[in-house]
Amino acid sequence: MKLFRQMAVIFLTLILLYSILMVAVYAIPNQWIEGNVESALAVLEAEGPYPHYFFDYPFGQADNNTDKEMYKNLLAADGDSVLKAAMVPRYSRYWQGYAVLLRPLSVFLSIANIRYLNMTVMLVLLCLCFWKTSETLSTAAALAFVLGLIATYIWLAPFNMQYFTVTLLTLIFSWIAVSDSRWKHRPDPPVLFLCFGSLTAFADYLTFPILTLGYPLLLMLLLRKQSHKPRTFVSELCFLLACSASWAAGYGLTLLSKGVVGTLLSGTNVLQDILESSLYRVNGELPFGYYENISAWMSIRYNADAFFNFRSLSLLTGCILCLVVILIRKRISLKGWTASLPILGVALFPYVWYAALQNHSIMHCYFTFKAQGVVFFALCAFVISLIDFTHRPIPDQRHNSLQ
């Protein structure tokens, strides 16, 4: 009961903080950012709706249409109060939390400058996560972590604000996950994942948010194995379910809270917009021009086909084969392997998401497929969990005898 009270207090504090931050950044006058916003919209228009910056692959594309909407939302409509601008922009069902950074940055920086800043921040965080994962787990785990993100075309993230937001959160949360064990006063994992889910709902534009759950959760499951504390299938499954439920509660309740706060502060029924949009995304209907009869299987298949292309399959197969070779060379027993099975359960998370949000996952499979980076990392993490990296291989006696 004490844990639930703590989580309730933290959640309400976060909602209050989000409300204050949104009102504060929309208090910045339009005139201060108008020039950079208009030039950004011109750049996005010139690049086209779905540009290919690197590889000419249908799913290796950016989504400038959504970025244009995000930039348009930075400018308050003429005559709108600060409260209404903060709570009822276009797509009022989202918190639009990215504006907390993008609006102040747009006072000083053009879209090109912001993209360079994004690249720098992402590379620094990626290096920090690789270093910390190598230090606390193993180099193999750090490589699997990075390769899973590479399979999602992570290099596109700095150029696309909607991709960058959730990628940034994934890297920050992952760094927290591998650093958490060294904190003197570390919060309980469910509390952390409540915050992770809430912050994701605040900043994300409904892209591939499962990354912010799957990646830090997999790291924590690997850390639990490394701690050498007693592990069973039930204990690890309970840990997985507790953290996942906390993330889902944080994500869902934060979206609903936008409806309540937005309605109270602006006088516009934002809650109705959120509820209607949620029903539209899960009821299986698609706009005219799409397939009429859709299913969970169709949603999963569309996204699986986009992710498991030749490049990703080659990368995943090579990674797992290398890990299997390491596993064989260590010559260890697979005793206790059942305790690692919940790691494979994390690989199902993207498909649960696709099955639940069939409408969105089919219409936007060109970016929702990126959630399957969790599948890549989970499959590798399961093999890694079977390896004892402290075990030294037995020397070749025949070779020694020839010395």
Side-chain angles (χ1 to χ4, degrees), residues 71-313:
Y71 265 99
K72 289 176 183 177
N73 283 336
L74 297 183
L75 294 175
D78 292 339
D80 278 358
S81 66
V82 171
L83 288 177
K84 187 169 184 181
M87 292 297 153
V88 195
R90 299 174 186 85
Y91 294 93
S92 61
R93 55 184 172 272
Y94 303 125
W95 272 97
Q96 315 280 356
Y98 61 85
V100 170
L101 293 178
L102 191 55
R103 208 166 195 273
L105 286 175
S106 295
V107 175
F108 309 101
L109 303 179
S110 67
I111 187 171
N113 298 143
I114 289 173
R115 285 172 170 179
Y116 280 120
L117 178 63
N118 290 348
M119 280 188 273
T120 304
V121 170
M122 190 183 79
L123 284 172
V124 169
L125 284 171
L126 203 57
C127 290
L128 280 174
C129 287
F130 183 89
W131 164 65
K132 203 67 180 175
T133 304
S134 297
E135 182 185 52
T136 56
L137 290 168
S138 64
T139 303
L143 285 171
F145 177 94
V146 172
L147 291 175
L149 291 174
I150 287 175
T152 69
Y153 294 84
I154 188 175
W155 49 81
L156 286 173
F159 298 88
N160 227 171
M161 281 307 301
Q162 67 153 337
Y163 296 170
F164 180 72
T165 303
V166 71
T167 303
L168 176 69
L169 291 178
T170 299
L171 293 172
I172 293 173
F173 298 164
S174 296
W175 180 83
I176 290 172
V178 289
S179 304
D180 175 50
S181 59
R182 298 190 177 186
W183 294 358
K184 290 183 179 179
H185 304 290
R186 60 176 181 169
D188 291 320
V191 174
L192 267 181
F193 279 90
L194 176 81
C195 296
F196 292 170
S198 180
L199 286 165
T200 302
F202 174 64
D204 185 43
Y205 215 73
L206 195 57
T207 51
F208 32 95
I210 289 298
L211 284 183
T212 70
L213 167 61
Y215 264 74
L217 181 56
L218 287 168
L219 289 171
M220 284 194 173
L221 286 168
L222 287 174
L223 282 169
R224 284 169 65 84
K225 186 260 181 180
Q226 184 130 321
S227 68
H228 300 296
K229 293 179 180 178
R231 294 165 66 245
T232 64
F233 173 80
V234 173
S235 69
E236 300 310 285
L237 181 62
C238 287
F239 179 83
L240 179 150
L241 292 175
C243 293
S244 303
S246 297
W247 184 94
Y251 189 91
L253 291 174
T254 298
L255 284 179
L256 286 175
S257 71
K258 170 61 192 301
V260 176
V261 174
T263 300
L264 291 175
L265 293 183
S266 69
T268 303
N269 195 346
V270 179
L271 183 58
Q272 181 180 356
D273 181 28
I274 291 173
L275 294 176
E276 289 177 353
S277 174
S278 299
L279 289 173
Y280 173 64
R281 290 305 185 192
V282 302
N283 67 6
E285 294 182 4
L286 287 173
F288 179 76
Y290 287 83
Y291 289 101
E292 294 183 3
N293 299 316
I294 68 170
S295 64
W297 169 243
M298 179 185 289
S299 177
I300 292 169
R301 180 168 57 83
Y302 269 41
N303 285 272
D305 287 347
F307 183 76
F308 290 106
N309 54 68
F310 178 76
R311 295 187 188 97
S312 297
L313 280 175

Side-chain angles (χ1 to χ4, degrees), residues 6-51:
Q6 180 187 6
M7 293 172 75
V9 170
I10 290 173
F11 176 76
L12 292 174
T13 301
L14 285 173
I15 299 305
L16 177 61
L17 178 63
Y18 300 157
S19 304
I20 293 172
L21 285 173
M22 291 300 293
V23 172
V25 295
Y26 274 92
I28 298 173
N30 271 2
Q31 296 84 344
W32 292 13
I33 65 171
E34 196 166 12
N36 280 327
V37 169
E38 293 298 337
S39 65
L41 290 171
V43 168
L44 294 170
E45 184 68 30
E47 290 178 346
Y50 304 109

